[in-house]
């Protein structure tokens, strides 16, 4: 992973900080499960608006996943620049920057995170954190923050409008499968809309019944009308946002961000393999639509897994797209008895995936971990397997195959 053009002029870790980071990174990595909750607790006590205005997910904070992902990303960044002093972890930075911009994060919020993250590290390590070590970690934090700020400014500047969120009206709502709704929105005013790239998502921001606002991301699925945004939202009855979004009736308004996300198709002509479970089919449908629109001759294999036929979102839409591609193969699995090609667990390592294929995965974290391991076991290099995570990026940070 080389340094991107935007980063070529960025400063690197100082020679005085390097040995201090080298000596303390493993300790801090090990202490993260204790540091992360302290960090969020102090930040939200001091800055409750970060949750109340929907910049941070309250559920991810409660489950502990988000603080671990955020604190972990700083350690992952440090580890990368220790191991590869000539480069930055571009993939990590890009994912984070896209998520940040979809939430409207701005430069002025970085000092807040610095204060509370470094405060939590100091609190956890006590006297072991000398002023020199604290200064070294502050340096690492700002190398990462400055790189993100630069990327985020670039992403904001590419948008067709300067607003983080725009008002949209729900114009159509239909159930695609048990508990999953396809929702079509149109802008409530004439604000210009950025064209989305297949695989990108928007953040949707809603006010919860108790008054606070919360945002979540949803992949954009194909539209015929470029002035529409279409989402497939699976209701999570234990969740905060999806039950509110799916309960809305046609005519209701919501706030939608501009499109972001970097898990998109590359220009490759290698065989393409799209593997999804459940609602993870949304980016796959977006990719298939793009291939159809381009008249692609590419060899495409789509595999999907669902719990049952009734709980298979966008199945007919996916099948219709597959039929329009000359070189496409489609197979599906369900856990429950039904009309799928296979009943029971899928072993993707045994499906004869071409070793040169470009693979995209989306589904639950467990599904993606298992599938990725099976594919790697079958000889597909890890770097050819891309994936979208429908939540905080915990797996990526601990994935040996992604080099930091
Ligand atoms: P949340 O409030 O986020 O809760 C999630 C889970 O956390 C709950 O099930 C519950 O088990 C647990 N939880 C909540 N509160 C607590 C608590 N107090 N204590 C303990 N546990 C708790 N989803 C789609 O349906 N379609 C898509 O196309 C889609 N695309 C996505 C694309 C991206 C890039 C990302 C990041 C996510 C995507 N998602 C998609 C997922 C979506 O953003 C939401 O995560 C999902 O809808 C759940 O949100 P929620 O607010 O309903 O649940």
């Amino acid at each position: 992973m080389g340094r991107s053009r935007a980063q070529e002029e960025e400063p690197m870790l100082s020679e005085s900080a390097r040995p201090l980071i080298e000596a303390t990174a493993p300790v801090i990595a090990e202490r993260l499960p204790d540091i992360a909750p302290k960090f969020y607790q102090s930040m939200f006590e001091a800055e409750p608006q970060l949750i109340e205005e929907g910049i941070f997910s309250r559920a991810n904070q409660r489950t502990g996943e988000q603080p671990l992902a955020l604190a972990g990303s700083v350690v992952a960044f440090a580890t990368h620049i220790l191991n590869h002093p000539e480069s930055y972890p571009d993939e990590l930075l890009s994912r984070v920057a896209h998520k940040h911009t979809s939430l409207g994060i701005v430069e002025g919020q970085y000092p807040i995170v610095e204060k509370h993250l470094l405060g939590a590290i100091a609190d956890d390590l006590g006297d072991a954190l000398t002023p020199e070590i604290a200064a070294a970690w502050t340096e690492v934090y700002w190398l990462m923050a400055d790189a993100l700020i630069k990327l985020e400014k670039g992403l904001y500047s590419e948008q067709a409008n300067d607003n983080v969120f725009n008002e949209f009206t729900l114009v159509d709502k239909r159930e695609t499968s048990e508990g999953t709704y396809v929702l079509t929105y149109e802008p409530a005013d004439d604000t210009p809309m950025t064209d989305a790239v297949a695989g990108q998502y928007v953040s949707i921001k809603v006010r919860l019944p108790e008054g606070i606002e919360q945002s979540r991301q949803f992949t954009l699925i194909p539209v015929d009308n470029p002035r529409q945004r279409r989402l497939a939202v699976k209701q999570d009855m234990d969740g905060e946002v999806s039950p509110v979004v799916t309960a809305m009736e046609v005519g209701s308004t919501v706030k939608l961000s501009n499109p972001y996300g970097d898990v998109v198709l590359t220009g490759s002509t290698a065989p393409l393999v799209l593997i999804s479970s459940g609602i993870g089919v949304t980016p796959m449908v977006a990719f298939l639509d793009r291939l159809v629109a381009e008249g692609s001759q590419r060899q495409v294999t789509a595999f999907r897994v669902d719990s049952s036929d009734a709980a298979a979102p966008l199945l007919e839409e996916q099948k219709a797209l597959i039929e329009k591609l000359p070189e496409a193969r489609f197979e599906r699995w369900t856990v429950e008895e039904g009309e799928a090609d296979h009943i029971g667990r899928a072993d993707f390592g045994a499906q004869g995936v071409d070793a040169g294929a470009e693979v995209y995965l989306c589904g639950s974290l467990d599904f993606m971990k298992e599938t990725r391991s099976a594919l790697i076991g079958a000889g597909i290099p890890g770097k050819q397997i891309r994936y979208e995570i429908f939540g905080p990026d915990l797996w990526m940070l601990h994935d040996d195959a992604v080099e930091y």
Side-chain angles (χ1 to χ4, degrees):
M1 264 182 288
R3 302 192 79 192
S4 68
R5 226 170 208 307
Q7 293 164 351
E8 272 165 12
E9 302 304 321
E10 299 289 359
M12 296 309 295
L13 189 62
S14 67
E15 283 311 310
S16 56
R18 169 168 295 278
L20 298 172
I21 298 297
E22 229 151 24
T24 53
V27 184
I28 292 183
E30 200 184 299
R31 300 290 309 155
L32 273 184
D34 294 285
I35 292 169
K38 286 182 191 163
F39 152 46
Y40 263 35
Q41 196 185 345
S42 85
M43 185 161 72
F44 296 132
E45 267 169 25
E47 312 277 348
Q49 78 285 356
L50 291 176
I51 291 241
E52 289 161 9
E53 293 171 5
I55 290 175
F56 284 84
S57 154
R58 182 165 62 173
N60 289 344
Q61 179 221 345
R62 285 176 175 164
T63 60
E65 289 181 351
Q66 183 75 42
L68 206 53
L70 203 164
S73 69
V74 180
V75 178
F77 178 86
T79 308
H80 179 97
I81 59 174
L82 287 177
N83 294 340
H84 310 275
E86 74 298 340
S87 73
Y88 277 1
D90 291 340
E91 195 181 339
L92 167 72
L93 293 175
S94 172
R95 268 196 198 218
V96 174
H98 278 271
K99 189 70 84 58
H100 279 181
T101 40
S102 85
L103 291 164
I105 285 174
V106 289
E107 191 170 356
Q109 286 158 335
Y110 281 88
I112 300 174
V113 172
E114 179 211 354
K115 177 174 163 197
H116 295 282
L117 176 58
L118 293 167
I121 294 175
D123 188 51
D124 193 76
L125 297 189
D127 291 343
L129 191 83
T130 63
E132 292 75 20
I133 297 172
W137 278 97
T138 304
E139 189 182 322
V140 166
Y141 177 82
W142 281 106
L143 286 177
M144 181 168 172
D146 286 338
L148 285 173
I149 290 165
K150 189 179 262 185
L151 286 173
E152 288 160 16
K153 281 185 177 163
L155 291 174
Y156 285 130
S157 73
E158 288 165 10
Q159 301 301 328
N161 62 72
D162 292 334
N163 307 327
V164 175
F165 286 97
N166 289 295
E167 195 114 311
F168 279 72
T169 307
L170 180 62
V171 295
D172 192 60
K173 171 182 178 180
R174 53 193 70 203
E175 201 169 5
T176 164
S177 57
E178 259 168 21
T180 299
Y181 292 83
V182 171
L183 306 170
T184 308
Y185 299 91
E186 284 180 3
D189 55 34
D190 57 5
T191 307
M193 282 170 64
T194 307
D195 290 336
V197 178
Q200 288 194 309
Y201 55 82
V202 290
S203 285
I204 186 164
K205 188 189 262 196
V206 292
R207 195 169 289 283
L208 303 186
E210 67 194 271
I212 72 161
E213 290 190 298
Q214 282 284 282
S215 309
R216 299 288 185 271
Q217 291 72 43
F218 294 96
T219 309
L220 290 162
I221 57 172
V223 282
D224 293 328
N225 174 352
R227 291 284 294 168
Q228 290 184 334
R229 300 277 194 223
R230 206 161 67 100
L231 313 174
V233 178
K234 182 182 172 190
Q235 249 174 9
D236 175 347
M237 291 321 279
D238 297 324
E240 301 214 276
V241 172
S242 61
V244 174
V245 170
T246 52
M248 286 180 170
E249 296 302 338
V250 166
S252 312
T253 55
V254 293
K255 290 176 185 167
L256 295 186
S257 75
N258 288 312
Y260 293 99
D262 63 352
V263 182
V264 296
L265 290 177
T266 63
S268 165
T269 53
L272 177 67
V273 180
L274 307 173
I275 308 180
S276 65
S277 77
I279 193 62
V281 76
T282 50
M284 309 311 169
V285 168
F287 293 149
L288 290 169
D289 180 70
R290 149 102 190 269
L291 294 169
V292 169
E294 285 174 347
S296 173
Q297 302 293 309
R298 205 168 165 188
Q299 193 184 316
V300 180
T301 306
F303 292 136
R304 68 177 285 163
V305 176
D306 296 285
S307 51
S308 65
D309 287 340
L314 305 176
L315 179 58
E316 294 310 318
E317 193 165 334
Q318 188 182 25
K319 278 190 197 164
L321 289 165
I322 296 276
E323 275 164 22
K324 289 184 189 156
L325 290 168
E327 295 292 333
R329 166 181 165 214
F330 180 52
E331 269 183 65
R332 68 184 190 97
W333 284 254
T334 51
V335 178
E336 286 176 21
E337 201 72 43
E339 291 175 6
D341 306 297
H342 312 273
I343 311 299
R345 293 188 79 75
D347 175 2
F348 293 107
Q351 296 305 314
V353 171
D354 189 306
E358 187 180 31
V359 184
Y360 287 81
L361 299 183
C362 191
S364 71
L365 213 49
D366 286 343
F367 171 81
M368 291 201 289
K369 280 184 186 171
E370 192 183 314
T371 305
R372 192 169 193 281
S373 301
L375 292 171
I376 289 173
I380 319 305
K383 63 177 170 19
Q384 286 167 217
I385 306 172
R386 307 188 69 205
Y387 50 87
E388 186 64 275
I389 299 182
F390 281 8
D393 222 344
L394 290 172
W395 171 34
M396 183 169 160
L397 304 179
H398 299 101
D399 182 8
D400 295 338
V402 178
E403 219 189 61
Y404 292 122

